[in-house]
């Protein structure tokens, strides 16, 4: 059964030349606004022949490195700088971003678990559907800027995925390396089926994902990485002229071959990580302790590394519940070329 057209309309013309700032308007009707709209800001920069790129942040609303970098780019990118078309959406899940939350306060929706989306679904599903059926078909390459948000802190990296189409896989990997984060990765997803990544890749488009820090804030170091990376991405795919700017230290390549990279808590309590982000770890090392907060004198539970590698992500808040990811350990590799 074919889906009806998206209820979302754009206030910009994606084919018009020059710089346009506007909105995606999603009709809503609720107690606050009977004939209202969710207004998702976007910028389109269009200049003659060339590839088309879609740059997205705020897929999760509390991941501020990407949101901030894209708001800055939207303010500064000039039409004469671009060959082709750059579409910038700093806050894909606008209701979540305004609330400072990972998910939407309107429907509880996690946008990156809502693809390919549904024009007759919730607000979050309608946003996903618009990206899948309207924006992604307009472009050749997509850069989706994530970070850990309020509950995770992540070593800044750009990543691609293993794909059936090896040329598509190679082109995405080259973009992930060119982004120039301290780390580049081929990423294993815990559940790929409903990701934006998969919605883009299944259309044969090039998709590069990033994780650029976390904790629900930004730091100067991570903003440098985010902004340099966005610029490198545009240069690499031919949208902007210039020289690629590599990271200060040689890039570290890591691989996440399977789900054993993720260490998840089987206890509730107070978390003590014994390693810092980016530290190396050997199999069997104690990486974390969880303390019972209801009493003194109880022996903490120890979590040990089930593999050797690099600590690439950690839980950010000190309190932990059963099922929370405590740590992610990735394998350092000489090459990502598979
Ligand atoms: Zn995210």
């Amino acid at each position: 059964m074919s889906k009806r057209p998206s209820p979302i309309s754009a206030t910009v013309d994606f084919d018009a030349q020059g710089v346009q700032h506007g909105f995606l308007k999603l009709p809503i009707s609720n107690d606050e606004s009977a004939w209202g709209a969710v207004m998702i800001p976007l910028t389109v920069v269009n200049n003659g022949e060339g590839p088309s790129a879609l740059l997205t942040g705020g897929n999760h609303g509390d991941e501020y490195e990407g949101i901030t970098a894209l708001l800055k780019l939207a303010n500064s990118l000039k039409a004469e700088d671009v060959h082709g078309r750059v579409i910038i959406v700093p806050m894909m899940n606008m209701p979540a971003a305004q609330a400072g939350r990972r998910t939407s306060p309107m429907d509880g929706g996690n946008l990156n678990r809502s693809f390919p989306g549904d024009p007759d679904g919730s607000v979050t599903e309608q946003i996903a559907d618009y990206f899948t059926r309207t924006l992604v078909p307009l472009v050749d390459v997509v850069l989706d800027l994530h970070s850990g948000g309020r509950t995770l802190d992540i070593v800044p990296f750009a990543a691609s995925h293993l794909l059936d189409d090896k040329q598509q896989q190679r082109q995405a990997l080259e973009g992930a390396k060119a982004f120039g984060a301290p780390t580049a990765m081929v990423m294993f997803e815990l559940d790929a089926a409903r990701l934006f990544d998969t919605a883009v890749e299944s259309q044969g488009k090039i998709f590069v994902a990033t994780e650029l820090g976390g904790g629900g804030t930004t730091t100067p170091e991570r903003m440098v990485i985010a902004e340099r990376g966005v610029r490198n991405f545009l240069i690499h795919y031919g949208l902007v002229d210039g020289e690629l700017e590599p990271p200060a230290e040689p890039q570290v390549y890591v691989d996440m071959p399977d789900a054993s990279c993720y260490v998840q808590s089987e206890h509730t309590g107070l978390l003590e990580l014994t390693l810092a982000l980016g530290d190396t770890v050997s199999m069997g090392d104690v990486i974390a302790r969880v303390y019972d907060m209801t009493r003194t004198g109880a022996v903490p539970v120890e979590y040990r590394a089930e593999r050797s590698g690099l600590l690439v992500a950690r839980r950010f808040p000190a309190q932990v519940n059963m099922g929370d990811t405590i740590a992610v350990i990735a394998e350092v590799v000489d090459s990502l070329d598979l």
Side-chain angles (χ1 to χ4, degrees):
M1 203 169 64
S2 67
K3 292 175 176 174
R4 71 166 173 127
S6 173
I8 296 178
S9 59
T11 66
V12 295
D13 176 352
F14 291 105
D15 295 319
Q17 299 294 301
V19 177
Q20 300 169 80
H21 302 290
F23 300 95
L24 306 174
K25 294 173 65 172
L26 186 161
I28 52 168
S29 181
N30 59 28
D31 289 339
E32 283 69 44
S33 189
W35 295 349
V38 172
M39 306 284 281
I40 302 172
L42 86 166
T43 293
V44 182
V45 182
N46 214 332
N47 186 31
E49 295 296 309
S52 284
L54 173 61
L55 310 178
T56 53
N59 188 334
H60 296 125
D62 62 351
E63 299 177 356
Y64 295 104
E65 295 84 346
I67 293 172
T68 310
L70 293 184
L71 285 170
K72 291 175 77 171
L73 181 71
N75 284 347
S76 61
L77 192 62
K78 298 185 179 70
E80 61 262 33
D81 298 336
V82 170
H83 308 292
R85 176 171 54 192
V86 180
I87 302 171
I88 305 167
V89 186
M91 291 158 286
M92 293 174 84
N93 194 343
M94 185 62 176
Q98 285 180 302
R101 300 167 62 98
R102 181 173 182 82
T103 60
S104 175
M106 299 187 75
D107 54 19
N110 178 341
L111 180 57
N112 215 26
R113 303 293 184 274
S114 301
F115 284 87
D118 182 354
D120 294 311
S122 66
V123 166
T124 304
E125 289 169 331
Q126 289 178 23
I127 294 171
D129 171 68
Y130 186 83
F131 277 85
T132 300
R133 290 195 299 151
T134 303
L135 290 184
V136 173
L138 291 177
V139 303
D140 307 294
V141 296
V142 176
L143 175 65
D144 190 30
L145 301 170
H146 288 256
S147 50
R150 291 188 299 178
T151 69
L152 289 172
D153 200 14
I154 306 180
V155 166
F157 70 80
S160 59
H161 298 109
L162 291 177
L163 300 171
D164 292 335
D165 181 333
K166 293 305 163 191
Q167 187 187 346
Q168 183 189 10
Q169 176 180 307
R170 193 166 54 250
Q171 288 177 341
L173 175 59
E174 289 307 316
K177 288 180 183 172
F179 186 90
T183 300
M185 184 182 303
V186 174
M187 197 172 182
F188 177 84
E189 302 287 354
L190 282 176
D191 181 9
R194 306 196 71 195
L195 297 177
F196 184 38
D197 317 38
T198 306
V200 175
E201 289 161 348
S202 66
Q203 296 185 42
K205 314 286 183 167
I206 305 303
F207 185 88
V208 174
T210 69
E211 299 286 352
L212 297 173
T217 189
T218 65
T219 67
E221 295 80 6
R222 287 158 170 192
M223 286 310 304
V224 167
I225 293 166
E227 291 182 69
R228 181 182 68 206
V230 170
R231 189 179 132 77
N232 281 342
F233 180 90
L234 293 174
I235 293 170
H236 175 77
Y237 288 112
L239 288 123
V240 166
D241 291 331
E243 293 285 312
L244 287 176
E245 196 183 330
E249 303 287 327
Q251 207 165 32
V252 175
Y253 297 145
V254 300
D255 186 21
M256 292 172 61
D258 58 54
S260 77
C261 295
Y262 293 81
V263 181
Q264 289 177 317
S265 184
E266 296 181 2
H267 301 86
T268 293
L270 184 67
L271 176 67
E272 178 196 14
L273 261 291
T274 61
L275 299 168
L277 271 187
D279 282 354
T280 53
V281 55
S282 300
M283 193 190 300
D285 285 354
V286 173
I287 56 172
R289 300 184 188 94
V290 178
Y291 295 85
D292 186 341
M293 293 174 73
T294 64
R295 67 199 67 249
T296 56
V299 177
V301 182
E302 286 184 343
Y303 283 80
R304 291 175 184 272
E306 291 183 12
R307 57 186 313 131
S308 298
L310 204 69
L311 184 74
V312 294
R314 58 157 291 173
R315 179 168 172 80
F316 191 73
Q319 290 197 32
V320 64
N321 285 306
M322 290 180 72
D324 291 336
T325 289
I326 294 174
V328 181
I329 300 170
E331 188 178 327
V332 178
V333 293
D334 293 333
S335 162
L336 293 174
D337 299 303
L338 303 158

